[in-house]
Structures are given as C-alpha cells and as structure tokens.
Amino acid sequence: MKIQIYNHPDLYDACTSHKVDDIPFYEHWAQVTGGTVLELACGTGRLARPLLKTGFDYTGLDLSPVFIRHCKAVYPNGQFFNGDMRNFCLDKKFDLIFLDPPFGVYDLKKLLDHIEQTQSLKPEGMVYYESKQPLEKSIIYESWDNYRESKAGNVYYGLLTKKTLNKI
C-alpha cells in the first residue's frame, strides 16, 4: 500500500519538522520588506508558525486542500487558500513572496510573470526564489533585478526586485 504524504499532514510534519535553520532568514526578510508575506506551496504551515508568532501578516497558498484545512485549524490568525501557484489570484498585495520549491528558469519566469500580471507584489516588494540553475543572464532579467543570489548544494536561491526599484 502506498501512502500519499500530501494527504497526511501529521506524516508530512514528521518529515519536515527538523528543518528550522532557515526560519531566521525568512523572519529577517519579512521584517526588512514590511511584513506582509505570501508563501506559495505553504504545505502544513512550517513557516506560518514562526511568522505568525512574530506578528507578521501571513498568507499561505497550497495545492493540497487537506493541508489548507490543517493550516486553517492550527493557525486561525493566518490566511490560507487552496489553489495552484501557477494561476492564483488573491485580492491582496504582498511585501514578500516565497517561491520555495526549486524551479527551472523557464517555470520560474512563468511564476514571476503571473505575480506581475496579478499585481500581487507591492512596488517595493521582493520575491524569494529557489532555482535549479543560476539566473545570471537569464530571461528573468528583462523585468526583474536579482538582489542577491547564492548556492547551497545543487540549488540557487536569492531575492528578486522589480527593475524599477532601488535596491535595499
């Protein structure tokens, strides 16, 4: 019998609860950018817990309705929506958007185009991304500036701002 982890929040939490070393990073950038945060692919709310506890205005979006029901029950002061990050439309603008799973440059470009089309990011906001390739000289730079990019293992990660903005 195969167990689908995305239908079992407790099992998913047991597999991901050890990951806490990145939380200060997310808290720092939420503070720097203003504190209105959207996490795409929020899962069971691993980042929601510390960000809400610190007082940030947190919204999570996930494809799993089971995970969203779990988040709404566990974190009543957060906002959680079931939906696909490739075509979401929330009636809100954010200071910081997290794109956590590592994407290929082409998929990342499509997600950034969607964020731009839906005007989900405030003018001075930032997008945190993870990518399978470095963004240097990629098609993303047509309308985005890479504020900072680093590499951990096989994943590149960084922060993007709109081209028209001054960097922090």
Side-chain angles (χ1 to χ4, degrees), residues 25-55:
F25 171 87
Y26 291 108
E27 289 175 327
H28 169 78
W29 286 106
Q31 182 69 42
V32 167
T33 59
T36 305
V37 176
L38 170 62
E39 182 183 8
L40 300 176
C42 67
T44 57
R46 182 182 73 83
L47 295 178
R49 178 187 323 252
L51 293 174
L52 287 166
K53 186 178 179 183
T54 308

Side-chain angles (χ1 to χ4, degrees), residues 30-151:
Q31 182 69 42
V32 167
T33 59
T36 305
V37 176
L38 170 62
E39 182 183 8
L40 300 176
C42 67
T44 57
R46 182 182 73 83
L47 295 178
R49 178 187 323 252
L51 293 174
L52 287 166
K53 186 178 179 183
T54 308
F56 294 112
D57 179 0
Y58 176 92
T59 300
L61 178 88
D62 201 275
L63 193 56
S64 168
V66 175
F67 283 2
I68 293 301
R69 281 193 301 275
H70 170 82
C71 287
K72 286 180 177 181
V74 174
Y75 311 111
N77 54 336
Q79 298 175 35
F80 297 93
F81 299 93
N82 179 229
D84 190 327
M85 71 174 74
R86 296 170 297 181
N87 62 14
F88 72 93
C89 187
L90 303 175
D91 196 21
K92 187 173 184 177
K93 293 183 186 289
F94 299 91
D95 296 305
L96 181 60
I97 298 176
F98 297 138
L99 300 174
D100 199 340
F103 294 96
V105 171
Y106 179 71
D107 291 330
L108 182 58
K109 170 79 167 113
K110 288 193 295 187
L111 286 169
L112 292 169
D113 287 347
H114 182 71
I115 288 169
E116 194 170 4
Q117 290 165 0
T118 58
Q119 299 180 353
S120 300
L121 190 67
K122 290 181 181 178
E124 58 283 337
M126 298 182 96
V127 175
Y128 169 80
Y129 70 89
E130 292 183 3
S131 176
K132 296 173 185 172
Q133 300 94 14
L135 299 189
E136 184 179 330
K137 299 179 183 174
S138 75
I139 56 175
I140 290 171
Y141 286 123
E142 294 169 5
S143 55
W144 295 86
D145 280 325
N146 204 347
Y147 173 68
R148 182 175 291 170
E149 183 172 71
S150 298
K151 184 178 181 187

